[in-house]
Amino acid sequence: MAFIEIERLERTIGGLQILKGVDIRLEKGGFLVLVGPSGCGKSTLLNAIAGLQPPTAGDIRIDGQSVLGLHPSKRDIAMVFQSYALYPNMTVAGNIAFPLEMAGVPAAQRAVDVAAVAKTLQIEHLLDRRPGQLSGGQRQRVAMARALVRKPRLFLFDEPLSNLDAKLRVEVRAEIRRLHQATGATIIYVTHDQIEAMTLATQIVVLKDGVVQQAGAPAEIYNAPANMFVADFMGAPAMNMLPGTVGLDGQTLQLEGAEVALPLAVTLEPGRAVTLGLRPEAVSAERAPEGVALELPVEMVEPTGSDVFLGLRLGARLITARLPATAEVGARQAVWLDLSRAVLFDSRSGARIG
């Protein structure tokens, strides 16, 4: 039995169905990231777990117990918000200690617990300051400390890094990952940033229009996306999508500007419309034993420091290749399409084949 069980969960608001039969399982100590575009139902699902928005149908069980009839304060859940939600008139120590005070924990024990969690998050030097004297990253650490000090059975994070600049996002993301590894806490984390999802999660759930598109480990989501939506949404830059038709022999794919062997040990019906998916790193200057060599016009060069991304023209399509930063780039570029790393989709349904 999983520690968190979400079963056929639905949520309708004003006649609009936000969640449409969501099923999720998470083991104790897992780090689940809910990811998807704006409006897909991520925050609605998190609020249903917290008890802030009751579902229309379905069930939520924590450690085998349904929590649908429990008040949010009785669910033993701590939530970290995007807006920090700190009390401006209290010191950092006061903010962290507040939930313990509300729970009736004696002052001496509160002081011990606050000192311990402040040390874990490296904010001991901030305990006498007020939130207005802190940076965004420091305030987020305080919000995390206030949640952590309660030792709840489940942590919920609602886009906690979206208000931070790029450098702080990396720093606090590392802090959250370290916190999870050190405490073994069970975490459900909402974000629209697929980089956060890939770097933090032990399990990712991709949502679209209130429906789970795929659930699995980060490597599975990235390398074997269940459909074209997941393939396009997860990864930066996005996966290259090359539409084509199956050849007369059922084992080759006719692309615009190239013919390649199907990346599957099966024979498909001739003329079937399929789409070949290739991550940018599978389009490179390195020879691929199971690949095809092409020389294509270069239309875009995007250096990123350690790598350079090229926009290459293949028929009517612009595909992205990933090369080392030291690569010499001219008007045309010789690349290999590594078919051993390709994914094949049905063009009509969008579902992965095989």
Side-chain angles (χ1 to χ4, degrees):
M1 180 178 65
F3 182 66
I4 308 293
E5 298 173 287
I6 298 170
E7 193 170 87
R8 299 188 300 276
L9 204 72
E10 298 180 11
R11 169 71 175 166
T12 299
I13 303 175
L16 178 65
Q17 193 173 17
I18 307 299
L19 300 175
K20 305 170 183 176
V22 171
D23 288 298
I24 293 174
R25 301 287 183 274
L26 179 64
E27 299 302 324
K28 189 175 181 64
F31 196 129
L32 171 68
V33 175
L34 301 170
V35 66
S38 297
C40 71
K42 305 183 300 294
S43 292
T44 299
L45 177 54
L46 203 71
N47 288 332
I49 297 169
L52 303 178
Q53 294 183 9
T56 308
D59 197 10
I60 302 169
R61 293 187 293 275
I62 301 178
D63 203 13
Q65 176 194 15
S66 176
V67 297
L68 292 190
L70 289 179
H71 187 272
S73 63
K74 303 297 184 182
R75 296 191 182 195
D76 196 15
I77 292 172
M79 196 162 183
V80 179
F81 297 93
Q82 173 183 348
S83 59
Y84 318 131
L86 301 178
Y87 297 105
N89 59 324
M90 291 184 180
T91 64
V92 166
N95 269 279
I96 297 173
F98 185 75
L100 299 179
E101 184 178 354
M102 291 297 97
V105 176
Q109 185 60 51
R110 292 202 304 267
V112 171
D113 292 346
V114 168
V117 75
K119 182 177 181 181
T120 298
L121 288 167
Q122 301 174 21
I123 54 173
E124 305 103 307
H125 61 295
L126 304 177
L127 290 176
D128 293 329
R129 298 186 191 179
R130 297 186 185 275
Q133 299 172 293
L134 307 179
S135 68
Q138 290 170 334
R139 275 180 272 179
Q140 194 56 275
R141 284 186 174 91
V142 175
M144 289 163 54
R146 185 178 57 190
L148 184 63
V149 76
R150 290 177 45 199
K151 301 182 177 67
R153 58 180 175 173
L154 177 64
F155 290 91
L156 304 180
F157 286 79
D158 191 6
E159 302 204 46
L161 309 186
S162 58
N163 286 338
L164 306 182
D165 61 39
K167 184 175 183 295
L168 274 177
R169 278 201 302 272
V170 172
E171 291 178 2
V172 180
R173 191 168 69 214
E175 199 72 47
I176 293 172
R177 185 167 56 245
R178 187 181 66 81
L179 177 66
H180 177 249
Q181 292 169 346
T183 64
T186 305
I187 296 174
I188 300 179
Y189 185 106
V190 162
T191 183
H192 63 273
D193 186 331
Q194 44 84 25
I195 298 297
E196 281 181 36
M198 293 294 297
T199 54
L200 289 174
T202 60
Q203 181 181 344
I204 294 174
V205 170
V206 184
L207 286 168
K208 178 189 178 188
D209 298 331
V211 177
V212 174
Q213 301 296 306
Q214 188 173 3
E220 178 188 354
I221 298 288
Y222 187 78
N223 295 315
N227 55 45
M228 292 172 65
F229 171 80
V230 176
D232 182 66
F233 188 82
M234 299 300 295
M239 178 179 277
N240 295 302
M241 297 292 189
L242 306 176
T245 55
V246 177
L248 294 177
D249 60 1
Q251 296 179 332
T252 57
L253 179 59
Q254 309 295 323
L255 302 174
E256 186 178 0
E259 177 182 280
V260 302
L262 285 175
L264 292 173
V266 296
T267 299
L268 301 179
E269 59 270 28
R272 180 176 177 178
V274 297
T275 297
L276 186 73
L278 282 167
R279 294 286 181 195
E281 55 267 29
V283 183
S284 71
E286 296 183 12
R287 180 183 178 87
E290 297 180 42
V292 59
L294 298 173
E295 186 175 301
L296 303 173
V298 177
E299 295 200 2
M300 182 191 72
V301 180
E302 186 178 32
T304 64
S306 58
D307 301 297
V308 59
F309 292 102
L310 303 183
L312 306 175
R313 176 64 59 184
L314 177 61
R317 296 268 165 175
L318 197 65
I319 66 171
T320 303
R322 181 177 183 175
L323 276 64
T326 54
E328 294 184 8
V329 179
R332 297 179 67 84
Q333 179 66 43
V335 292
W336 284 83
L337 308 185
D338 187 353
L339 299 182
S340 69
R341 304 169 72 179
V343 187
L344 201 62
F345 303 96
D346 181 86
S347 295
R348 292 185 177 87
S349 69
R352 188 179 77 242
I353 300 172

